[in-house]
Each structure stands twice: as structure tokens, then as C-alpha cells.
Amino acid sequence: MWILPFFSASEAGGGVMRAPAVVLFCAIGLSHIGFSQQTPTAPKKVLTPEQQAFREEMRVVGEKRDSLRAKAHQAFDAEMAQQKAGDCPNAENTYEFGICFGKAAGVADQNLKAYEEAIRDLLGLKYPNLTGNSPTTGPAGPVLTPEESVAEFDRVEQLWHSYLDAAATAAFHQFGGGTGGPSFEMETHLRLVRSHMLELNEIYDMLLRL
């Protein structure tokens, strides 16, 4: 608000006296005489068809990635919860331990399979490339394609499953054909599966979380 003084005249005793008066100019009216300023509106950016297609492809791939990560976390958390609950707390003899460890190992195998499938599918995701140029090498070595990453994962898991079978068989043989062999074989199988899930969780931590 602006305040500007002016003087009015009145007669008194034959002379002229000047009495102060005030005129208020409201700031609202100043906009009509050029005192206001308006911020220019930035032009709205229009995406090219290629950019729009890229954005849509990224959205679709992002949704697939999030879904696969959720599947992996669910399988991993389920097995860790089973481990935390304890194995076969009510088993009292060799036969009961064998049955119990066999069931627990079956559940662990299902969780591992789901975990492996989620990781494998995450490795195979193809992200859109707006420029069309994909690097083949980095500062420290080669950059694998999705197909190469999946092939590498398959080789590692094939080798590990061969080790699992061999190690569980070795555990069975420690009882020399005795009745404790089957239950110890299943227990070893169970513990190795859980250990491997923890290994995969470490190896593919960035893939599963970033």
C-alpha cells in the first residue's frame, strides 16, 4: 500500500491555511499502471515418439523387476523363517528325524527353486537403450549381456547342485549303512540349501535390491 500526502486549503481569519490530508493508493490498483510483474511460463516439454516409447519400455521393465524381486524376497524370507523356527523339535528317534528332515528339505528345495528362478529372470531382463549403444567392456573388465549373465548363472547352479548331491551322499556314507544315514543325508541337504541361498543373497545383492 502506498501513502502519499497532499494539502487542502481553507480560509480562517482572512488568511489561507493549509491542512494536511492523506490519499491512500491501494497496491491492488498498481497492476493497472504497470507496477506488477508476471513470471514467464516455461514452455511444456514435448517428448519425441522415441522418448515416449523409451519411457513406456522402462516402465514395463521396472514393473517386471519389482515383481521378480518380490518373488525372490518371499522365497528367501520363507526359508529363513523356517530355519529360525527350528528343525524337528519334536522328533525323538532316527525314523522321525528322517521323515521330518525330509519334509523340511522338500520345502527348502521349493524355496531355492523359486529364488533361483527369480534371480535368473532378473539377470535376463533387457533394459531399453535410447542411444542403441551398449558397452561391452568396463574399467575392470567385460560387461555381460543378459544372455551371457543367464548362461553364467546356469553354469554356477549346475555345478552347485552336483556338489549338493555329492555332499549329501558323503554324509549318508558316514553312518556305514546304519539307520542314521538317511536322516543325516536329509539334514545335510537342508543345511546346504540354506547356506547356498545365503550365498546367492550375497552374490546378487545389487541385482535384488538396487
Side-chain angles (χ1 to χ4, degrees):
M1 178 177 294
W2 293 62
I3 303 176
L4 301 177
F6 79 98
F7 296 90
S8 61
S10 62
E11 294 183 357
V16 178
M17 296 183 63
R18 302 289 181 176
V22 176
V23 176
L24 303 180
F25 288 89
C26 182
I28 297 177
L30 296 180
S31 61
H32 298 291
I33 54 176
F35 285 93
S36 65
Q37 294 183 353
Q38 295 182 353
T39 303
T41 303
K44 185 177 181 181
K45 184 177 180 180
V46 179
L47 299 178
T48 65
E50 292 78 10
Q51 291 173 328
Q52 293 176 353
F54 175 80
R55 175 177 290 185
E56 177 62 18
E57 289 178 22
M58 283 296 295
R59 184 190 66 79
V60 173
V61 173
E63 289 181 352
K64 289 181 180 179
R65 178 200 60 203
D66 294 343
S67 177
L68 290 170
R69 284 178 174 175
K71 177 182 177 181
H73 293 323
Q74 182 179 8
F76 182 84
D77 292 343
E79 191 53 43
M80 295 304 104
Q82 181 179 219
Q83 180 183 29
K84 185 177 181 180
D87 298 313
C88 308
N90 300 320
E92 296 180 352
N93 53 57
T94 301
Y95 174 78
E96 291 179 355
F97 273 110
I99 297 297
C100 179
F101 279 125
K103 291 181 178 179
V107 174
D109 284 342
Q110 292 176 358
N111 288 329
L112 174 61
K113 182 180 179 181
Y115 199 49
E116 289 173 327
E117 289 176 349
I119 293 174
R120 189 179 191 277
D121 290 343
L122 280 168
L123 289 170
L125 282 179
K126 295 182 179 180
Y127 290 85
N129 190 333
L130 190 59
T131 64
N133 298 320
S134 298
T136 57
T137 59
V143 177
L144 299 185
T145 65
E147 293 81 5
E148 291 171 335
S149 295
V150 169
E152 180 183 62
F153 180 78
D154 288 343
R155 287 194 302 272
V156 171
E157 290 310 284
Q158 183 178 6
L159 290 170
W160 182 84
H161 279 278
S162 296
Y163 163 76
L164 172 66
D165 293 340
T169 299
F172 173 83
H173 290 154
Q174 300 315 298
F175 281 78
T179 57
S183 63
F184 189 52
E185 178 182 15
M186 288 294 98
E187 182 181 3
T188 300
H189 180 105
L190 173 63
R191 301 198 185 288
L192 288 176
V193 167
R194 288 173 177 165
S195 176
H196 186 54
M197 291 184 74
L198 288 169
E199 291 171 346
L200 293 175
N201 189 60
E202 291 292 331
I203 295 171
Y204 296 102
D205 178 71
M206 291 189 294
L207 180 72
L208 293 166
R209 289 170 177 80
L210 295 182

